[in-house]
């Protein structure tokens, strides 16, 4: 059974720099591209960042470029989202997702087969 479990969320002051983690189990992690998505209250889920199965390629939505960094440690079955210079607009539930065998991870949620439950990030001004 595939499980993705996020951690690292919480209440953060604007300008803060938390790191989210997503621990995967039940799959061969190194065969999967990984993505982070977020959903704010009253809004649709949106793509945040993705990383290829090798870690060699990363992708970001424009609003987080230069502030967020996605990385992975295949030996630990873990993908990270390093968040810097947080803004109140970054408040959302952040979820990780896995996509089998993609060189180009893609930014559409429909491409990802497995999802975590999400972790809440609340940015106070």
């Amino acid at each position: 059974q595939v499980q993705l479990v996020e951690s690292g969320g919480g209440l953060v002051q604007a300008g803060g720099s938390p790191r989210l983690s997503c621990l995967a189990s039940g799959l061969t992690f190194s065969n999967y591209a990984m993505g982070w998505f977020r959903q704010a209250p009253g809004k649709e889920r949106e793509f945040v960042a993705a990383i290829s199965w090798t870690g060699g390629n990363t992708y970001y939505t424009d609003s987080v470029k230069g502030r967020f960094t996605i990385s992975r440690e295949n030996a630990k079955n873990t993908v990270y989202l390093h968040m810097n210079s947080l803004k109140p607009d970054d408040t959302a539930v952040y979820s990780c997702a896995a996509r089998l065998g993609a060189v180009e991870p893609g930014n559409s949620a429909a491409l990802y087969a497995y999802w975590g439950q999400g972790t809440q990030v609340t940015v106070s001004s």
Side-chain angles (χ1 to χ4, degrees), residues 82-104:
H82 307 256
M83 311 165 74
N84 292 308
S85 303
L86 279 179
K87 307 173 183 178
D89 283 351
D90 294 317
T91 295
V93 174
Y94 285 73
S95 300
C96 65
R99 180 185 179 191
L100 178 64
V103 175
E104 299 286 339

Side-chain angles (χ1 to χ4, degrees), residues 29-48:
F29 184 70
S30 58
N31 289 349
Y32 284 77
M34 299 298 294
W36 284 96
F37 292 77
R38 67 185 180 185
Q39 187 166 20
K43 295 187 178 180
E44 293 187 355
R45 182 167 53 191
E46 67 167 341
F47 169 79
V48 176

Side-chain angles (χ1 to χ4, degrees), residues 37-115:
F37 292 77
R38 67 185 180 185
Q39 187 166 20
K43 295 187 178 180
E44 293 187 355
R45 182 167 53 191
E46 67 167 341
F47 169 79
V48 176
I51 188 166
S52 61
W53 54 336
T54 64
N57 297 307
T58 56
Y59 308 86
Y60 301 91
T61 192
D62 286 346
S63 63
V64 308
K65 281 181 182 176
R67 298 191 298 124
F68 292 9
T69 302
I70 188 171
S71 64
R72 66 189 295 160
E73 286 190 77
N74 286 348
K76 294 185 177 181
N77 283 11
T78 301
V79 61
Y80 304 99
L81 186 67
H82 307 256
M83 311 165 74
N84 292 308
S85 303
L86 279 179
K87 307 173 183 178
D89 283 351
D90 294 317
T91 295
V93 174
Y94 285 73
S95 300
C96 65
R99 180 185 179 191
L100 178 64
V103 175
E104 299 286 339
N107 61 6
S108 169
L111 298 172
Y112 291 79
Y114 301 108
W115 291 81

